[in-house]
Amino acid sequence: MSVPSVITIDGPAGAGKSTLGELLAQQLGYLFFDTGVMYRALAWAVLRNAIDPEDDEGVAALARNLDIQVLPRGDATDGRPYTVLVDGVDVTWEVRHPDVERIVSIAARHPAARAIMRERQRAIGCQGRVVMVGRDIGSIVMPDAPLKIYLDASIDERARRRTYEIQRRGGSVDLERIRNDIIRRDNLDRHVSMPAPDACVIFSDGLSPEQVVALVLACIKDGVDDSQDTSAYERAKNPDSA
Ligand code: DC
């Protein structure tokens, strides 16, 4: 397989999608596009405008008129991976706030709002040379993408990684609380998570980010295109047997 012009990475919260996406994009010289940020921006605007996150029409109307821009970080030195603007306001860090986290799965659930978001995501995907990360990218947004990854990991592994990530940024965390939060988000996100049937599944427990990147590059080299690559899944589950 030549290097696919679009690579999609779907999977649950904390599976390492963004880390993988960023590393891959860096290696390939592609754009990294985290679609979750668009739903976070929408949720931020829902709070800002005091809209009920359960209100299907209200959230859709807001989504329709919302200007969301995800830009390169530029000169920013605060560790941000990119800059997020909503109607011109820099909300890069605010979209990570616990208040946004609390309602994002609810605000992201409405079909009309999702249709608007998906259309905008598709427009970016269609430009090519992009690694797109989300929940429904391979199945709904870019179903013709030549390489689709479904990245998974156990709840314990995801909780450990999240805890490490927060501690690395200087925060203090309780592993059990993080674990419960991941379970809660899995339940809420179940409605929007749609793995593509032809995705290459990678189970990343025990693998470093670099090992996962190597697996994906092997998928590309092996010529995985439109068939499920269970060997990648087996290799990932049992790296010693590869
Ligand atoms: O990946 P994340 O945690 O930043 O995603 C934030 C929320 O957006 C999460 O509730 C799932 C939702 N989401 C979605 O519905 N569809 C996507 N393509 C990406 C994220």
Side-chain angles (χ1 to χ4, degrees), residues 133-152:
V133 167
R135 301 290 192 289
D136 55 353
I137 307 303
S139 54
I140 311 271
V141 177
M142 299 297 291
D144 295 330
L147 180 60
K148 300 169 190 145
I149 308 288
Y150 186 78
L151 187 63
D152 205 352

Side-chain angles (χ1 to χ4, degrees), residues 16-220:
K17 302 184 299 292
S18 292
T19 306
L20 171 62
E22 280 181 68
L23 285 172
L24 260 185
Q26 221 171 45
Q27 292 213 9
L28 299 172
Y30 279 20
L31 174 74
F32 167 64
F33 178 36
D34 175 5
T35 60
V37 145
M38 291 182 67
Y39 291 101
R40 286 172 180 269
L42 176 62
W44 177 86
V46 162
L47 290 174
R48 165 61 78 93
N49 290 279
I51 291 169
D52 176 359
E54 306 267 4
D55 175 4
D56 197 355
E57 231 338 283
V59 176
L62 181 67
R64 209 166 288 128
N65 296 312
L66 209 59
D67 176 27
I68 302 172
Q69 293 190 52
V70 184
L71 306 170
R73 70 176 153 247
D75 296 334
T77 54
D78 56 3
R80 61 180 60 197
Y82 36 68
T83 290
V84 187
L85 299 182
V86 173
D87 289 338
V89 180
D90 186 340
V91 296
T92 308
W93 293 115
E94 283 173 61
V95 298
R96 302 276 157 200
H97 192 276
D99 288 347
V100 170
E101 200 109 311
R102 197 169 35 78
I103 66 149
V104 63
S105 308
I106 302 164
R109 200 185 283 182
H110 306 293
R114 293 192 72 77
I116 294 160
M117 294 291 160
R118 284 171 171 159
E119 206 44 53
R120 295 183 193 172
Q121 292 161 5
R122 198 167 291 127
I124 293 169
C126 286
Q127 292 173 11
R129 297 182 61 84
V130 58
V131 179
M132 293 179 75
V133 167
R135 301 290 192 289
D136 55 353
I137 307 303
S139 54
I140 311 271
V141 177
M142 299 297 291
D144 295 330
L147 180 60
K148 300 169 190 145
I149 308 288
Y150 186 78
L151 187 63
D152 205 352
S154 68
I155 286 171
D156 285 339
E157 177 82 15
R158 290 189 277 144
R160 263 196 303 274
R161 287 180 194 164
R162 217 3 88 88
T163 304
Y164 173 71
E165 194 184 305
I166 296 170
Q167 284 171 339
R168 200 166 50 91
R169 279 197 249 119
S172 71
V173 275
D174 170 12
L175 180 64
E176 199 48 34
R177 194 180 62 71
I178 297 273
R179 194 176 182 281
N180 288 337
D181 192 52
I182 286 180
I183 294 170
R184 182 188 73 88
R185 288 196 58 195
D186 278 1
N187 286 331
L188 288 170
D189 289 345
R190 189 157 293 144
H191 303 269
V192 296
S193 298
M194 292 163 213
D198 55 347
C200 166
V201 182
I202 297 179
F203 190 77
S204 70
D205 274 36
L207 295 179
S208 69
E210 290 73 22
Q211 285 172 311
V212 179
V213 171
L215 271 176
V216 175
L217 294 176
C219 284
I220 295 173

